[in-house]
Amino acid sequence: KLQFLYLIGAPAEKMEFLDVLKLDAADRASVPMILAATLAASGVAYSVTARGIGNAKATLRDRGIFGIDINKITPERMDQFREQRRTRPLSGFSDDFKKLLIPESLGIVVGAVYLVSVILLMGVCRMPLARFNAALCSIALMLLLGFVDDVLDVRWGQKIKLSLVSTLPLMVAYDGSTTVVLPTFLHDVPFLGPSVELGMLYSVAMSLICVFATNSINILAGVNGLEVGQSIVIAMSVAVHNLIQLQGGNWEANLISFVLCVPFIACSLALWKFNKYPSQVFVGDSYTYFAGITLAVMAISGHFVKTLMLFFLPQLINFAISLPQLFGVIPCPRHRVPKWDPKTDTLSPSYANEQKTCINLTVLNVALVILGPMKEGSLTKVLIGFQVLCSLLAFGVRYYMASLFYPHVE
């Protein structure tokens, strides 16, 4: 009964008070209490994360893990900053530059608090250990990869390979269906029919989706608060979907997904306080990798990967329009963020080449082409608003339009 306590080395006879709660994720009668416990733990996680970020930001800056907001500094000043960083210790920086330093990689604090919160919930609510341990292992590995990337600046090819390795625990422990139900217009296609059994190919596909989710959050970035904001909107959409699905036959998987989801929202909201415009901290790759894999883990654990891809519509659009630059057809500079105009304090599209014949192909620059130059905070609001609209569209497709293509929709 108290297998989790044995797992972490706690003497079960001293922890019998947990047994009074009588919570069991396999018992539908325990669902209301598990939801309440998840909300309570998430509230605590929010407070701990906010306090942890406040304490850690100065430490990270003093250890040299910091950056400068390139949307608030001219190229000439940026060159001066790079020269000082290359030739001087932090104590030798000019006072003007010290004011511009922003601590980076605060995602490591968010990830650490999240993992502790979910581990405690796993024990209290008696979640399936094999599935939860595998999920948390993949999340922890991706969080570590993100922090290593922040510190060592890992190359893209290596990051993709390491991301695939990070998904292995989740794929090995996956015990759900490997059958994909096809839409009705494909039923009469030879060798297909109503469904297709993918077997091991299903695990490969799930692994690739994890890598996509991780990197898609990472490349749809460049303005204060966008990485965290889009992740919160997607996670809230996932939470609502799980609550709806708790009434269906797959309720146990959706309950697991919900328990994984709500602490993530709480920890990310705490980070949002510090990362929203104007940012006091940068989230770093440690957060974007952590957020992407956590959202993918929620969907795989809840068996709704196709629905997650609907919630990722802005990321899919950004990835699609970025392909010419990602594959080298069009020059791809290191930073594809919009260009800051110090005279008007607005952002305008940045260009992929010196001739200014093609903009950098991102949703951010496309939005600025369509809507015109705007302040950074306004651009963040526009893009998060677009994420919200896409989530509403996703719910419409999932719960209303899906019945046009699938014979049975819960």
Side-chain angles (χ1 to χ4, degrees):
K1 294 171 72 174
L2 297 176
Q3 55 181 325
F4 168 77
L5 300 175
Y6 288 115
L7 181 67
I8 63 173
E13 64 274 8
K14 295 183 180 180
M15 302 291 285
E16 289 291 343
F17 70 91
L18 288 178
D19 217 19
V20 177
L21 296 176
K22 299 187 182 302
L23 298 183
D24 188 346
D27 180 7
R28 198 159 194 163
S30 297
V31 169
M33 286 296 294
I34 291 175
L35 297 182
T38 302
L39 292 173
S42 300
V44 175
Y46 173 88
S47 299
V48 173
T49 303
R51 189 165 186 172
I53 292 172
N55 293 334
K57 61 181 184 177
T59 302
L60 288 169
R61 191 192 66 174
D62 293 343
R63 297 295 186 273
I65 304 177
F66 57 77
I68 282 186
D69 195 333
I70 59 178
N71 289 331
K72 300 179 182 65
I73 189 172
T74 62
E76 295 77 20
R77 291 272 286 168
M78 192 67 191
D79 290 339
Q80 294 172 11
F81 165 73
R82 290 192 180 112
E83 179 63 20
Q84 288 201 22
R85 188 168 193 177
R86 186 178 64 84
T87 59
R88 305 180 188 179
L90 178 60
S91 58
F93 276 37
S94 65
D95 291 337
D96 287 343
F97 277 123
K98 284 183 178 179
K99 294 177 183 178
L100 297 174
L101 302 183
I102 299 179
E104 282 190 296
S105 199
L106 269 297
I108 194 69
V109 177
V110 177
V113 176
Y114 171 81
L115 288 171
V116 171
S117 303
V118 174
I119 288 171
L120 291 175
L121 280 170
M122 179 173 70
V124 172
C125 300
R126 294 179 189 161
M127 293 293 175
L129 287 182
R131 268 189 278 177
F132 251 74
N133 287 340
L136 295 181
C137 185
S138 289
I139 293 171
L141 285 172
M142 201 68 79
L143 177 64
L144 175 62
L145 171 59
F147 187 71
V148 169
D149 189 26
D150 287 334
V151 177
L152 301 181
D153 196 16
V154 181
R155 293 182 178 180
W156 268 104
Q158 295 172 328
K159 285 191 281 190
I160 297 297
K161 294 174 185 176
L162 292 172
S163 298
L164 286 168
V165 172
S166 299
T167 66
L168 289 179
L170 186 64
M171 296 304 104
V172 170
Y174 181 75
D175 59 355
S177 172
T178 56
T179 299
V180 176
V181 178
L182 300 178
T184 51
F185 61 82
L186 293 178
H187 287 187
D188 295 329
V189 176
F191 307 109
L192 291 182
S195 62
V196 174
E197 172 59 44
L198 296 180
M200 286 297 297
L201 289 178
Y202 188 90
S203 295
V204 174
M206 294 302 99
S207 184
L208 293 176
I209 286 173
C210 288
V211 173
F212 166 77
T214 298
N215 288 280
S216 65
I217 297 290
N218 193 34
I219 64 174
L220 182 51
V223 292
N224 293 169
L226 180 56
E227 299 97 320
V228 184
Q230 63 183 302
S231 300
I232 291 172
V233 173
I234 296 172
M236 286 182 170
S237 303
V238 168
V240 171
H241 174 71
N242 282 322
L243 287 174
I244 295 171
Q245 291 298 309
L246 284 177
Q247 310 302 317
N250 196 36
W251 66 270
E252 188 176 353
N254 287 107
L255 179 62
I256 292 172
S257 179
F258 184 85
V259 172
L260 289 168
C261 183
V262 179
F264 173 81
I265 295 172
C267 294
S268 296
L269 285 171
L271 180 59
W272 167 259
K273 281 180 54 180
F274 296 89
N275 183 242
K276 65 182 179 181
Y277 179 85
S279 288
Q280 303 175 48
V281 302
F282 289 150
V283 301
D285 287 341
S286 55
Y287 178 80
T288 57
Y289 284 25
F290 158 71
I293 189 64
T294 304
L295 292 168
V297 163
M298 294 174 199
I300 293 171
S301 300
H303 305 162
F304 56 88
V305 173
K306 287 184 286 188
T307 301
L308 180 72
M309 289 297 99
L310 293 175
F311 295 143
F312 266 78
L313 181 58
Q315 289 72 26
L316 287 165
I317 294 172
N318 188 63
F319 176 72
I321 64 177
S322 296
L323 285 175
Q325 285 190 292
L326 296 178
F327 286 101
V329 178
I330 296 173
C332 185
R334 177 177 174 81
H335 296 293
R336 302 190 297 157
V337 298
K339 182 180 179 182
W340 177 61
D341 184 349
K343 294 180 181 179
T344 59
D345 190 27
T346 58
L347 299 177
S348 57
S350 61
Y351 290 88
N353 51 27
E354 294 181 358
Q355 294 76 25
K356 297 185 176 181
T357 56
C358 178
I359 64 168
N360 283 307
L361 302 176
T362 67
V363 166
L364 284 76
N365 287 306
V366 171
L368 290 170
V369 168
I370 296 172
L371 301 175
M374 65 179 71
K375 293 185 179 295
E376 184 176 358
S378 299
L379 179 58
T380 302
K381 291 176 182 177
V382 167
L383 294 171
I384 293 177
F386 179 58
Q387 186 79 56
V388 172
L389 287 175
C390 287
S391 285
L392 294 175
L393 175 63
F395 277 112
V397 171
R398 169 63 179 80
Y399 287 100
Y400 296 99
M401 292 184 64
S403 60
L404 300 175
F405 303 100
Y406 293 92
H408 176 69
V409 178
E410 287 191 357

